[in-house]
Amino acid sequence: MSDVKRYAAVVEYNGACFHGWQRQKHHDEPTVQAALEAAISMVANHPVEVACAGRTDAGVHATQQVIHFDSPSIRSDYGWMMGINTHLPDGVSVQWISEVSGEFHARYKAQARRYRYLIYNHPARQALMHDQLTWWKYPLDEKLMHEAAQRLIGTHDFTSFRAKDCQAKSPVKEMHHIRVERFDRLIMVELECSAFLYHMVRNIVGVLLPIGQGRQPVEWMTQVLEARDRNQAGVTAPGGGLYFVGVRFPEEFDIPCSPWGPALLEPLIGR
């Protein structure tokens, strides 16, 4: 249809409310994709399918997930946003929406994705936000973790950090940025990469934690990376501390998805 328009949206969601991003064909567990497609279809008055910048696993959150969909329906940006949010369940919300060029694609036009992993580092477990922060009771040295993390900068074969059922065609990715920073009891691991393999961030954190605890040397990160063997790495860190926080697209598309969040982190970062 010649009058079909493409819309992009920025979406926030609490991964604890869903069984991952991707719609399941043979299961009834709620997913973010299924919730969004149902809500958008109600507002558009026709079936809608959405694509996203990066699929997240069960329990993983997002503050700046980017999606797109096509529709011939005429609605204002405000009408789309409020209508969709009215039909969405708790735990997911559209933060911005607008018509974009038909050339835009949430996945294939993305140049980089950014994640933040949050660790609550304290002897006693937290009662609040227990499914949004990963608790680690042993003292962690964030400076050692940051030093080790820098060894991942650049283009590498990340096979050692790839889950066995990862479907990516190549394990070679370019890590643009990675840092580890402490804010009192909270430790943030921030990573930006051209694209991420399945469980890649959680497996990187699984190596950083023993290094921060002093159970492994900083050099272990290089050894794990060069081994290109998942069995040489550490455990897979829990998904609850992981947030998809931003996507980099070509400026021509003007998508407001610079790294942000979660909200509790912003005053600490000082942006």
Side-chain angles (χ1 to χ4, degrees):
M1 294 180 289
S2 60
D3 56 349
V4 170
K5 297 179 179 180
R6 177 152 294 184
Y7 295 90
V10 176
V11 181
E12 179 178 86
Y13 51 85
N14 181 340
C17 301
F18 302 95
H19 194 72
W21 162 267
Q22 193 168 9
R23 181 182 60 251
Q24 305 293 322
K25 293 182 179 178
H26 306 296
H27 301 280
D28 295 328
E29 293 93 344
T31 67
V32 182
Q33 182 182 13
L36 283 165
E37 289 179 344
I40 297 171
S41 296
M42 289 286 288
V43 179
N45 202 30
H46 66 83
V48 169
E49 293 186 0
V50 305
C52 73
R55 292 178 295 183
T56 53
D57 197 14
V60 178
H61 319 290
T63 59
Q64 298 278 70
Q65 177 68 272
V66 176
I67 67 169
H68 82 259
F69 64 92
D70 296 330
S71 176
S73 302
I74 305 300
R75 310 281 188 271
S76 67
D77 293 349
Y78 182 80
W80 276 116
M81 184 172 70
M82 298 306 292
I84 294 168
N85 284 341
T86 296
H87 293 287
L88 283 172
D90 291 342
V92 56
S93 176
V94 171
Q95 302 294 301
W96 171 90
I97 190 168
S98 185
E99 182 183 346
V100 292
S101 162
E103 297 298 313
F104 177 79
H105 193 288
R107 178 183 177 187
Y108 297 121
K109 292 297 183 180
Q111 298 171 322
R113 289 91 171 160
R114 187 171 294 222
Y115 282 87
R116 289 173 181 165
Y117 193 96
L118 301 186
I119 303 162
Y120 182 75
N121 189 209
H122 188 68
R125 64 178 176 85
Q126 74 276 23
L128 304 179
M129 301 185 67
H130 62 89
D131 54 3
Q132 297 171 52
L133 301 171
T134 291
W135 172 50
W136 196 260
K137 64 181 178 180
Y138 305 105
L140 293 171
D141 186 329
E142 72 280 3
K143 293 181 176 61
L144 290 178
M145 295 169 70
H146 179 78
E147 182 183 348
Q150 301 316 296
R151 296 170 180 242
L152 300 178
I153 295 291
T155 302
H156 303 285
D157 182 328
F158 284 95
T159 295
S160 292
F161 304 98
R162 176 183 192 173
K164 64 179 181 179
D165 48 352
C166 177
Q167 298 179 355
K169 294 181 180 179
S170 171
V172 177
K173 305 297 175 186
E174 182 181 3
M175 184 72 72
H176 302 148
H177 162 91
I178 183 167
R179 66 166 168 156
V180 182
E181 191 169 355
R182 176 183 286 274
F183 307 97
D184 195 45
R185 298 178 183 178
L186 199 63
I187 294 177
M188 175 190 72
V189 182
E190 182 180 64
L191 316 89
E192 180 179 292
C193 194
S194 55
F196 287 88
L197 302 168
Y198 186 46
H199 284 178
M200 180 172 159
V201 175
R202 294 167 59 186
N203 290 336
I204 288 173
V205 173
V207 171
L208 289 175
L209 287 169
I211 292 174
Q213 196 178 324
R215 290 172 43 221
Q216 292 286 357
V218 169
E219 293 74 25
W220 187 47
M221 179 64 79
T222 301
Q223 295 168 8
V224 170
L225 179 65
E226 293 179 348
R228 299 179 184 178
D229 179 1
R230 176 70 189 99
N231 294 323
Q232 300 302 310
V235 299
T236 300
L242 184 56
Y243 294 78
F244 186 104
V245 300
V247 195
R248 176 145 47 90
F249 291 106
E251 291 184 4
E252 64 193 84
F253 296 118
D254 197 25
I255 309 295
C257 55
S258 297
W260 187 90
L264 67 93
L265 202 60
E266 288 302 307
L268 305 177
I269 294 176
R271 294 178 179 173

